[in-house]
Amino acid sequence: MKTTYRNAVHDAIREAMRNDDRVVLLGEDVGRYGGTYAASKGLLEEFGPERIRDTPLSELGFVGIGIGAALGGLRPIVEVMTVNFSLLALDQIVNTAAALRHMSGGQFSVPLVVRMATGAGRQLAAQHSHSLEGWYAHIPGITVIAPATVADAYGMLLTALADPDPVIMFEHVQLYNTSVDLDTLGPTDISRAALRRSGTDVTLVTYGGCVPKVLDAADQLTLAGIECDVIDLRVLRPLDDATILDSVRKTHRAVVIDEGWRTGSLAAEISARIVEGAFFDLDAPVARVCTVEVPIPYAKHLEEAALPQVDKIVAAVQGLFGDRRAEDVHP
């Protein structure tokens, strides 16, 4: 049965609400309109306005309501329209949700899931297109997930709803229409990265909307005789160091692909961990492919030029091998 990423998110919400009366959904346009990205279409009719709550355009307010509901015994899902707008709720997420278990000496937990769209590629300009996942991955007290596949969009959301602490879920806008044939869907681990492709020559580390591009790049590199391990991080906090380092120790080269900006990026953190944990296994410096350090442009050709693309990834990998011929890559 063919399922889209959008439908996977929708079906996970619906299953969670059917199985647990404590689960509620709130956010801008999640009710009558069916969600900005149609992830909640039809849920108002099925579950009613007590559990599907349209909110005013105040992220600070409705994320705070979600925190209060979680403290009161519910399992709220809060939808923020886009990551850019989530900055209006940083006080609630960083200073309250993430800190309450610590500040209460373990007396209180906040079982809250905050979902938000992220990323560029749809000509929505700078106020709707940035990738700020790395900012949230900096914060202790929250789990940060970024499902890149249809199965993970469904399964990671279900698992997040069972977590006693806050989980931030990033859904890349370019993934909503992707579809695959799946017979069954179920809960997915939110503590481990996933190896999406196995190779021997270089490790490609990425997440979210960059995963399809990296897999396409790996296909092209195979034609040049370079075989890639492709690691989909899936969980940005806590990072799964073991999976990354095990791969690098096998391939001896690494490229990190991140739609965030290069300066102070998640790619920088991953690069540092590779150097700290596998320095003597490296045969070349760790390379990074990130978004150009500009606000995301509106014009399509400029937006494409600013973002990581397949040709940039291929060039970065080939640069690790210098002038070596493809047939010389394998020992």
Side-chain angles (χ1 to χ4, degrees):
M1 177 180 176
K2 193 169 285 292
T3 304
T4 65
Y5 188 104
R6 172 185 290 105
N7 286 342
V9 173
H10 172 278
D11 291 350
I13 297 171
R14 183 174 60 184
E15 179 174 335
M17 298 191 77
R18 286 176 173 177
N19 293 338
D20 189 342
D21 290 340
R22 298 174 300 169
V23 178
V24 296
L25 174 68
L26 60 150
E28 300 164 353
D29 293 329
V30 299
R32 195 172 304 279
Y33 187 67
T36 304
Y37 297 96
S40 56
K41 192 173 290 293
L43 297 183
L44 175 65
E45 290 76 13
E46 182 172 355
F47 297 104
E50 289 297 309
R51 297 182 67 193
I52 307 294
R53 293 287 189 113
D54 282 321
T55 66
L57 303 182
S58 173
E59 286 76 10
L60 182 71
F62 66 73
V63 173
I65 291 171
I67 294 170
L71 289 168
L74 298 181
R75 293 274 175 166
I77 306 169
V78 176
E79 179 178 310
V80 178
M81 188 180 296
T82 177
V83 63
N84 298 68
F85 300 162
S86 74
L87 302 187
L88 297 166
L90 275 181
D91 178 58
Q92 296 285 14
I93 296 171
V94 174
N95 289 331
T96 304
L100 263 176
R101 178 181 287 279
H102 169 77
M103 295 180 68
S104 68
Q107 296 180 78
F108 299 107
S109 62
V110 183
L112 168 74
V113 175
V114 180
R115 298 175 39 247
M116 61 184 84
T118 187
R122 298 185 62 187
Q123 288 188 268
L124 297 175
Q127 289 182 316
H128 301 78
S129 302
H130 290 144
S131 294
L132 306 179
E133 294 92 318
W135 293 17
Y136 287 93
H138 179 66
I139 307 300
I142 57 176
T143 296
V144 180
I145 60 177
T149 67
V150 171
D152 279 353
Y154 179 92
M156 295 182 84
L157 178 53
L158 284 184
T159 305
L161 281 166
D163 198 294
D165 294 306
V167 178
I168 312 297
M169 176 166 160
F170 288 96
E171 301 161 15
H172 197 285
V173 293
Q174 289 286 74
L175 296 175
Y176 280 121
N177 290 329
T178 59
S179 62
V180 294
D181 285 314
L182 290 172
D183 294 328
T184 59
L185 290 167
T188 304
D189 182 22
I190 60 169
S191 64
R192 300 282 291 176
L195 182 65
R196 300 298 183 193
R197 182 187 178 116
S198 185
T200 55
D201 302 315
V202 62
T203 298
L204 307 183
V205 183
T206 190
Y207 66 92
C210 283
V211 170
K213 296 178 182 179
V214 172
L215 290 170
D216 287 346
D219 288 341
Q220 291 191 23
L221 287 160
T222 293
L223 301 177
I226 299 173
E227 297 296 337
C228 306
D229 256 11
V230 176
I231 294 176
D232 171 9
L233 291 172
R234 302 200 300 177
V235 186
L236 310 185
R237 185 179 186 99
L239 284 170
D240 178 8
D241 291 353
T243 296
I244 299 169
L245 295 177
D246 285 348
S247 175
V248 173
R249 290 176 185 131
K250 176 183 72 172
T251 66
H252 307 293
R253 291 173 174 84
V255 180
V256 186
I257 301 92
D258 180 4
E259 198 171 303
W261 295 297
R262 182 183 180 92
T263 301
S265 62
L266 187 62
E269 175 65 27
I270 295 165
S271 300
R273 294 192 186 200
I274 292 171
V275 171
E276 290 169 349
F279 179 79
F280 293 105
D281 296 285
L282 291 170
D283 289 342
V286 179
R288 288 184 282 161
V289 180
C290 299
T291 291
V292 176
E293 302 210 2
V294 296
I296 297 297
Y298 169 77
K300 184 176 178 62
H301 67 292
L302 294 177
E303 182 180 44
E304 291 177 349
L307 296 172
Q309 301 293 357
V310 172
D311 59 338
K312 296 179 183 180
I313 300 165
V314 169
V317 172
Q318 291 175 331
L320 298 184
F321 296 95
D323 295 328
R324 295 176 65 186
R325 295 173 299 170
E327 58 265 29
D328 294 332
V329 169
H330 300 287

